[in-house]
Amino acid sequence: MESDIGIAEKPKIQIKGIREGLLIILEDGDWQKVHDFLLEQIDQQAEFLCGARVALDVGSQVLKAADLGQLRNQLSDRKITLWAVISDSPTTQQTAQTLGMEIQLTKAKPEQTEQSISPGIQSGEQAILLHRTLRSGFSIQFPGHVVVIGDVNPGAEIIAGGNIVIWGRLRGMAHAGAEGNKEAIICALDVMPTQLRIADQISITPQQRKKAQPEIVRLRDGSVIAELWNPK
Amino acid sequence: MPGKVITITSGKGGVGKTTACANLGAALASDGLKVVCIDADIGLRNLDVVLGLENRIVYDLVDLIEGRCRTRQALIRDKRLPELYLIPAAQTRDKSAVSPSDMIKLCDELRGEFDWVIIDSPAGIERGFRNAIAPTDMALVVTNPEVAAVRDADRIIGLIEAEEKGPARLLINRIKPNMVKRGEMLSPEDVIELLAIELIGLVPEDENVLTGTNRGAPVVLNGKSRAGQAFRNIAQRLRGEKVPFLALDENGGFLGKLTRMIRTGGR
């Protein structure tokens, strides 16, 4: 199932058959060159690839929305669906997620997530800051803490190894301590989530319209408890 | 000045994208601007029906893109408004017959000749949506005051931002003021608070819309219709004029609050 179609002195491209369709592995190097060579290779095998579902492993390339969006459109011009982009660059992973693509071939177990995002960091040691509204369909998985400045809308999800802090309204799904840390907390200026999870506990908040107040959610005796935040 | 391309989209089906497209096109054209509406819902076309032009179709969007006709041949002129044109969708093909770069090429050509290019996007977030959004200068998200439609609108706004086509504008369609007053329908404030984008129009529920659609006559041409007035106001706002939002409630109760919210940036 594996064919190596790289040519000497050109960037190497590998195409493999996998359970989910085709996986194309690109070599690191100047993105423009890699990109042009990829399209050239695809055009040479247009008949074979037409209608294919493709996952792309871009290595450590740092890609912005414009790069990935352009490539996806160029592939769809050739009747190829790009459904996943695999990378060890957090920027590229975020770009792929915001464009609605998968960043893993299969649903990851927590330890794989940790490895794929940044190997070697301890759960809860690092944090990622998202300064934007997280809209429906957005998903972020991070082994450390997640801090959001903005609202988390219904249909968005945050899965963090550590704590989750939201300077805004929480209306989507938040999972803190996803790798089993029972000390993890979730706090937000208004806690109205579709679902909350801490470690292995799941809770559904009753749909009551109350006055927006900052709250901290933590595990107490094995159940998820929300407390008003009171600085005094 | 080259023309402006706007895309009318929603995520969820049945919220009034096609109605909005036909009415905004007709409103702009009746002000003497040259407008072309493109139906990007290939395989499920209906903008031609809403405009009452179904029986005039000879060539469609796919014929044009695949080079079977010239642009001039695919443009259907409206029977009432001489400045309004339609490029209909193909009914016998599907979304994969057109690609985002085909749409960009076509719209770049139309920009030279028309003041406004209005694209009617299909429902969903797949290929058809990406075709419709690729050439756009401004995306207009249509939603209804109901939870499912607002959820899908939120998803679509996120995708528009990801494609770097934002910020999108919001059109809330089919508002029933009486239900809002009784607290049985989401109010425009609730919708704006969640979606956090700039509002471009509030359209009340109006039976004239349905009769107009069935007869192939956009409701903006009906001087008595409140929905028609709302669409005419949106057309003026698209042209950069400041028009106050329609008083949906007779005593103007929540309108005052709403205009205040909009002045403070829609948050």
Side-chain angles (χ1 to χ4, degrees), chain B residues 14 22 87 100 125 131 146 178 192 194 200 202 213 222 224 257:
Chain B
I87 298 181
I125 55 172
N131 285 340
E146 53 163 290
N178 286 332
I192 296 165
L194 184 85
I200 198 158
L202 300 172
T213 300
N222 174 349
K224 288 188 204 114
K257 257 201 304 191

Side-chain angles (χ1 to χ4, degrees), chain A residues 72 77 135-136 153 171, chain B residues 99 101 154 163 193-195:
Chain A
R72 183 172 66 176
D77 288 348
R135 298 186 182 276
S136 176
N153 283 355
R171 288 167 165 169
Chain B
S99 75
S101 47
D154 189 46
E163 301 266 353
E193 184 195 302
L194 184 85
L195 298 178

Side-chain angles (χ1 to χ4, degrees), chain A residues 65-66 72-73 76-77 79 98-99 133 135-137 153-155 169 171, chain B residues 96 99-101 127 130 151 154-155 157-158 161-164 193-195:
Chain A
R72 183 172 66 176
N73 288 348
S76 68
D77 288 348
K79 312 249 186 291
T98 39
L99 287 171
T133 302
R135 298 186 182 276
S136 176
N153 283 355
R169 302 182 194 96
R171 288 167 165 169
Chain B
S96 63
S99 75
S101 47
R127 176 68 168 269
R130 283 194 282 122
R151 188 71 53 89
D154 189 46
R155 176 91 166 105
I157 295 165
E161 284 168 0
E163 301 266 353
E164 294 172 351
E193 184 195 302
L194 184 85
L195 298 178

Side-chain angles (χ1 to χ4, degrees), chain A residues 44 49 54 176 188 226:
Chain A
Q44 283 176 18
L49 290 168
V54 164

Side-chain angles (χ1 to χ4, degrees), chain A residues 10-23:
Chain A
K10 289 247 182 166
K12 261 195 166 178
I13 289 176
Q14 282 182 42
I15 303 183
K16 289 181 178 179
I18 54 170
R19 193 160 33 117
E20 294 84 2
L22 291 173
L23 172 66

Side-chain angles (χ1 to χ4, degrees), chain A residues 46-131:
Chain A
E47 264 177 54
F48 169 63
L49 290 168
C50 183
R53 263 170 59 78
V54 164
L56 204 58
D57 185 339
V58 298
S60 55
Q61 295 275 2
V62 178
L63 299 178
K64 297 270 161 54
D67 304 323
L68 267 188
Q70 184 201 21
L71 179 62
R72 183 172 66 176
N73 288 348
Q74 287 165 331
L75 291 178
S76 68
D77 288 348
R78 292 163 173 82
K79 312 249 186 291
I80 298 169
T81 314
L82 180 59
W83 66 277
V85 172
I86 295 133
S87 167
D88 8 288
S89 148
T91 315
T92 309
Q93 291 181 343
Q94 263 206 42
T95 308
Q97 281 188 329
T98 39
L99 287 171
M101 291 187 261
E102 296 290 329
I103 56 164
Q104 281 152 348
L105 292 179
T106 43
K107 276 280 173 200
K109 294 168 199 112
E111 61 269 21
Q112 282 177 333
T113 320
E114 179 166 8
Q115 219 198 348
S116 71
I117 293 181
S118 81
I121 68 161
Q122 286 291 306
S123 151
E125 295 259 316
Q126 284 198 358
I128 188 168
L129 173 70
L130 296 161
H131 192 161

